[in-house]
């Protein structure tokens, strides 16, 4: 080794941090190619008694140097924390797995019990994951609490290998009576995509111990997001969810909203740049209404959210005592929308928590836009079925009860055996005559209005309401029936009712939706039925507020029904300003 190199190494090592069981070479820029170049480092490690943490980040370690370090680590059985990020700059990709295997084997030989392992910013790809595979499976990782693999280029293959290793680690540790309880998982910028995300989701669900999950920029679309959301439900201690810069769209957001209903410890949600869009934002607002009691940060930036949906979110955070920051920057509010949002937050004395809106994208064009997840339609044509599963999973027991009650009613009242056919005839081609002929059987319409399917529920409601007229018998029949239907649809969770209302808004032309759902041709009677419903006790104030916001921001959509529109708007405004 040249004298100049030795001098530089000595100078760098003089900056080594020692203390509290930690030996740190962080950021020294050491170029450790072989055993000779790493002699001083090895000596210091060897002489350090009670070594619990080793920092090697910000240096570059070759295969031979790694072997030399590994040799001395074989005696360090107390080592718990390995901070080994950015450790292979300039190294051949083929070198990295070998170096990692050497270091991992040393930890296993020593009988170390790791609590933290950080290998971020090492572009080792799937082969690098193979380099740590045996370590992750081994008893040395049964105690692992934090795993950081940010920006490692793992890819789909690496994600699958890692998921299998974590699963095996959990299996083996559980067999010993002390299951793996990983708390922090960080794997952003790894190109995991849907397959990698789905594989990891299975491991996450199995562990059930996660408190922080950071997986930004992984090319995950709705199917992968849905798998992750399902896994998150099984991790009740979750505090931080960061899926920034993946592609949720409506399906993924609804899945995440359903998961969040069960997570009471969430403090930070980062769904920025995830194409949450307006329907997704409304679903998340519903969860804010009924849960997330200690949330302090919400990031829905760059999600193609419109002004009205942003205002719904703003209203939903009003009663969150721990909320510190709401980020809605980079959406589609427009200049007036940004001002309206600021004003709304200020009026609630929450202006301080609203992040900058400097990158707002402006109001969306009136022209129909191409749906960004069109390329996913081949895999998931049944948009409404996916939506209903996520919006209303909590109502499966209710649906079973309906079936059971239906059987009972059929047995008790033979006359009602024919009611399903008559009701289906009415729904397929509604008319006043058919509705009146149903008589008392109109109550059976509720069985056909499935709260778990927002599209069919909204469609059924609008069909019934379209028959409204001022003839007393007809008016009474229509209003009573719409009351019964809306009571059912709005009596469930906030998420269920908001999914239904947002679907209704799409069909009424007040909200641009995703997928194949199209707006219907309205008649004034439908608005008048809603006017009546708004005044009833089952139509809660926050339901009215949601409709009022969208109607006030999209008044042109109902311009051909001005009289009915004004009556509905007046009823909504009165309901919104009534005291709770």
């Amino acid at each position: 080794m040249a004298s100049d190199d030795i001098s530089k190494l000595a100078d760098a090592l003089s900056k080594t941090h020692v203390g509290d069981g930690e030996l740190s070479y962080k950021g020294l820029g050491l170029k450790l190619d072989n055993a000779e170049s790493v002699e001083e480092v090895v000596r210091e490690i060897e002489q350090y008694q009670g070594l619990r943490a080793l920092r090697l980040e910000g240096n570059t370690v070759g295969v031979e140097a790694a072997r030399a370090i590994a040799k001395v680590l074989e005696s360090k059985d107390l080592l718990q924390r390995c901070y080994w990020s950015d450790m292979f700059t300039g190294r051949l990709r083929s070198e990295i797995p070998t170096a990692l295997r050497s270091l991992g084997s040393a930890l296993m030989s020593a009988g170390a019990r790791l609590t933290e392992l950080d290998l971020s910013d090492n572009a080792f790809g799937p082969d690098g994951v193979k380099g740590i595979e045996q370590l992750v499976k081994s008893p040395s990782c049964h105690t692992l609490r934090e795993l950081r693999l940010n920006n490692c280029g793992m890819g789909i293959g690496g994600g699958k290998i890692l998921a299998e290793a974590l699963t095996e680690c959990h299996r083996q540790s559980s067999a010993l009576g002390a299951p793996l309880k990983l708390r922090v998982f960080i794997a952003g910028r790894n190109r995991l995509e849907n397959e990698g995300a789905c594989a990891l989701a299975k491991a996450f669900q199995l562990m059930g111990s996660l408190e922080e999950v950071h997986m930004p920029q992984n090319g995950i679309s709705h199917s992968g997001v849905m798998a992750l959301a399902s896994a998150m439900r099984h991790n009740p201690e979750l505090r931080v969810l960061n899926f920034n810069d993946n592609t949720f769209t409506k399906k993924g957001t609804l899945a995440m909203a359903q998961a969040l209903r069960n997570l009471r410890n969430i403090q930070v949600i980062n769904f920025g740049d995830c194409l949450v869009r307006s329907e997704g934002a409304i679903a998340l607002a519903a969860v804010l209404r009924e849960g997330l009691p200690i949330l302090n940060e919400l990031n829905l930036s760059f999600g193609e959210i419109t002004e009205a949906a942003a205002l719904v979110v703003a209203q939903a955070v009003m009663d969150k005592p721990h909320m510190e920051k709401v980020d809605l920057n980079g959406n589609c509010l427009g200049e007036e929308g940004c001002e309206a949002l600021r004003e709304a937050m200020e009026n609630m004395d929450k202006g301080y928590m609203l992040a900058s809106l400097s990158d707002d994208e402006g109001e969306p064009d009136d022209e129909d836009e191409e749906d960004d997840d069109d390329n996913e339609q081949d895999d998931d044509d049944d948009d409404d079925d996916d939506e209903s599963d996520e919006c209303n999973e909590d109502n499966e027991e209710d649906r079973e009860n309906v079936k059971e009650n239906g059987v009972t009613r059929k047995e008790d009242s033979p006359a009602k055996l024919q009611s399903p056919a008559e009701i289906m005839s009415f729904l397929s081609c509604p008319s006043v005559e058919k509705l009146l002929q149903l008589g008392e059987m109109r109550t059976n319409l509720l069985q056909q209005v499935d709260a778990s399917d927002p599209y069919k529920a909204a469609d059924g409601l609008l069909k019934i309401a379209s028959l409204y007229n001022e003839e007393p018998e007809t008016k009474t029949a229509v209003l009573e029936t719409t009351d019964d239907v809306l009571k059912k649809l709005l009596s469930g969770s906030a998420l269920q009712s908001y999914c239904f209302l947002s679907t209704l808004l799409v069909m009424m032309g007040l909200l641009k939706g995703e997928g194949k759902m199209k707006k219907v041709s309205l008649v004034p009677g439908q608005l008048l039925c809603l006017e009546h419903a708004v005044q009833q006790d089952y139509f809660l104030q926050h339901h009215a507020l949601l409709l009022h916001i969208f109607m006030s921001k999209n008044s042109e959509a109902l311009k051909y029904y001005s009289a009915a529109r004004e009556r509905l708007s007046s009823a909504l405004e009165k309901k919104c300003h009534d005291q709770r």
Side-chain angles (χ1 to χ4, degrees):
M1 192 175 196
S3 59
D4 285 348
D5 291 337
I6 295 173
S7 176
K8 289 178 182 177
L9 178 59
D11 180 61
L13 291 175
S14 68
K15 301 173 185 176
T16 301
H17 169 74
V18 179
D20 302 323
E22 178 179 292
L23 184 57
S24 175
Y25 301 93
K26 181 179 179 179
L28 298 183
L30 301 176
K31 192 172 188 297
L32 307 174
D33 296 325
N34 49 42
E36 183 183 5
S37 66
V38 82
E39 284 180 355
E40 289 297 321
V41 173
V42 168
R43 185 177 298 110
E44 288 189 358
I45 294 174
E46 185 176 25
Q47 293 174 354
Y48 197 108
Q49 299 301 309
L51 181 64
R52 296 181 184 278
L54 178 61
R55 290 189 173 275
L56 294 174
E57 65 262 57
N59 300 289
T60 176
V61 181
V63 172
E64 293 304 318
R67 286 174 177 159
I69 294 172
K71 184 67 177 175
V72 72
L73 287 180
E74 290 177 357
S75 63
K76 300 301 176 180
D77 61 322
L78 298 179
L79 187 59
Q80 297 176 337
R81 303 186 303 279
C82 297
Y83 303 107
W84 295 348
S85 63
D86 190 20
M87 203 173 71
F88 298 109
T89 301
R91 301 295 169 182
L92 295 175
R93 190 163 169 174
S94 59
E95 294 181 80
I96 300 174
T98 304
L100 289 172
R101 284 192 187 94
S102 296
L103 294 168
S105 295
L107 296 174
M108 291 185 282
S109 296
R113 293 294 182 266
L114 298 183
T115 58
E116 296 181 47
L117 177 60
D118 186 355
L119 289 166
S120 300
D121 301 315
N122 290 309
F124 49 50
D127 290 340
V129 183
K130 292 178 182 177
I132 62 169
E133 181 180 7
Q134 295 307 313
L135 172 63
V136 173
K137 289 180 178 180
S138 76
S140 289
C141 284
H142 287 185
T143 51
L144 196 62
R145 296 294 177 263
E146 301 185 16
L147 179 59
R148 293 178 170 86
L149 294 167
N150 202 56
N151 191 30
C152 289
M154 288 191 287
I156 293 171
K160 289 182 174 180
I161 295 168
L162 178 62
E164 183 180 347
L166 288 170
T167 300
E168 180 63 17
C169 181
H170 185 271
R171 187 190 69 78
Q172 291 186 17
S173 58
S174 296
L176 296 173
L180 171 67
K181 293 184 181 295
L182 191 67
R183 294 174 185 159
V184 177
F185 180 82
I186 301 176
R189 300 184 65 187
N190 271 291
R191 304 194 307 276
L192 294 170
E193 300 182 18
N194 289 335
E195 289 185 63
C198 289
L200 286 166
K202 293 178 182 177
F204 296 161
Q205 181 167 325
L206 189 65
M207 291 186 289
S209 56
L210 290 168
E211 296 179 13
E212 295 187 27
V213 177
H214 302 261
M215 297 176 67
Q217 288 184 281
N218 270 295
I220 305 170
S221 59
H222 75 267
S223 59
V225 172
M226 291 169 74
L228 288 168
S230 180
M232 295 305 103
R233 298 185 198 183
H234 297 270
N235 289 265
E237 300 304 315
L238 268 170
R239 294 182 293 105
V240 179
L241 273 183
N242 176 7
F243 292 110
N244 189 285
D245 199 7
N246 289 290
T247 307
F248 281 30
T249 60
K250 178 181 174 181
K251 297 178 191 176
T253 309
L254 292 178
M256 279 294 173
Q258 181 64 50
L260 288 169
R261 291 188 62 222
N262 305 312
L263 301 174
R264 307 290 294 177
N265 296 304
I266 291 285
Q267 297 175 21
V268 177
I269 295 174
N270 186 345
F271 295 163
D273 205 8
C274 285
L275 279 185
V276 165
R277 294 185 173 139
S278 294
E279 287 178 277
I282 293 170
L284 292 172
V287 179
L288 285 165
R289 285 273 181 193
E290 65 182 353
L292 303 173
I294 60 173
L295 185 69
N296 60 55
E297 184 174 331
L298 175 65
N299 184 346
L300 298 179
S301 60
F302 298 93
E304 294 189 2
I305 298 169
T306 59
E307 175 191 352
L311 289 170
V312 171
V313 172
Q315 291 289 337
V317 303
M318 178 175 61
D319 296 324
K320 296 297 169 191
H322 302 281
M323 186 67 77
E324 297 174 1
K325 183 179 180 182
V326 178
D327 191 346
L328 289 163
N329 192 26
N331 283 297
C332 302
L333 311 185
E335 187 175 341
E336 292 183 4
C338 288
E339 188 55 37
L341 180 59
R342 292 190 192 97
E343 184 178 343
M345 296 293 285
E346 291 288 349
N347 289 342
M348 295 184 290
D349 295 323
K350 304 289 185 182
Y352 64 90
M353 70 173 60
L354 183 63
S356 168
L357 299 173
S358 59
D359 296 317
D360 186 73
E361 296 286 341
E363 294 183 61
D365 294 334
D366 291 334
E367 299 177 2
D368 287 338
E369 300 165 2
E370 290 294 329
D371 191 7
D372 282 336
D373 67 340
D374 277 346
N375 59 338
E376 299 167 9
Q377 294 297 319
D378 292 339
D379 296 329
D380 291 276
D381 285 337
D382 297 325
D383 290 359
D384 299 320
D385 291 341
D386 284 334
E387 175 184 348
S388 63
D389 288 344
E390 299 308 329
C391 284
N392 299 281
E393 188 170 286
D394 54 310
N395 284 317
E396 287 181 3
E397 184 177 339
D398 291 340
R399 291 202 293 275
E400 289 301 316
N401 289 336
V402 168
K403 292 175 184 177
E404 292 170 7
N405 293 337
V407 171
T408 302
R409 285 196 294 267
K410 288 176 184 177
E411 291 173 352
D412 293 344
S413 178
K416 292 185 179 179
L417 284 170
Q418 297 181 15
S419 65
E422 293 172 338
I423 289 170
M424 294 307 294
S425 173
F426 165 75
L427 289 175
S428 64
C429 186
S431 70
V432 171
E433 291 75 19
K434 288 181 180 179
L435 181 64
L436 295 178
Q437 286 171 7
L438 287 175
E440 292 182 0
M441 288 191 297
R442 288 200 299 269
T443 58
N444 285 20
L445 277 169
L446 291 177
Q447 297 177 40
Q448 303 302 321
V449 179
D450 187 355
S452 69
D453 191 325
Y455 174 78
K456 290 181 180 177
D459 184 56
L461 176 73
L462 290 173
K463 283 179 177 178
I464 296 167
S466 69
L467 304 177
Y468 177 92
N469 64 47
E470 292 297 331
E471 193 279 319
E473 186 180 8
T474 302
K475 180 177 180 179
T476 299
V478 171
L479 292 181
E480 286 180 351
T481 307
T482 54
D483 276 341
D484 288 340
V485 170
L486 283 169
K487 278 180 190 176
K488 178 179 179 179
L489 296 173
L490 300 179
S491 64
S493 68
L495 180 57
Q496 174 187 293
S497 61
Y498 275 42
C499 282
F500 161 71
L501 290 172
S502 65
T503 302
L504 186 64
L505 288 168
V506 173
M507 297 180 75
M508 293 173 67
L510 295 169
L511 168 63
K512 176 178 168 55
E514 288 187 24
K516 303 173 182 177
M517 196 187 311
K518 303 298 182 183
K519 65 181 182 180
V520 302
S521 297
L522 295 178
V523 295
Q526 292 161 326
L527 304 185
L528 296 177
C529 285
L530 285 175
E531 178 213 4
H532 165 82
V534 167
Q535 300 173 62
Q536 309 310 308
D537 290 341
Y538 65 77
F539 210 104
L540 301 180
Q541 189 180 52
H542 65 94
H543 296 144
L545 183 60
L546 172 58
L547 289 187
H548 181 56
I549 288 173
F550 273 88
M551 280 195 64
S552 64
K553 299 300 177 183
N554 300 278
S555 57
E556 284 296 303
L558 303 176
K559 62 184 179 181
Y560 298 114
Y561 325 102
S562 57
R565 180 192 66 194
E566 291 306 315
R567 285 177 58 175
L568 175 56
S569 294
S570 178
L572 287 168
E573 188 167 355
K574 184 177 185 302
K575 186 84 168 197
C576 292
H577 288 89
D578 283 345
Q579 293 297 318
R580 293 176 187 270

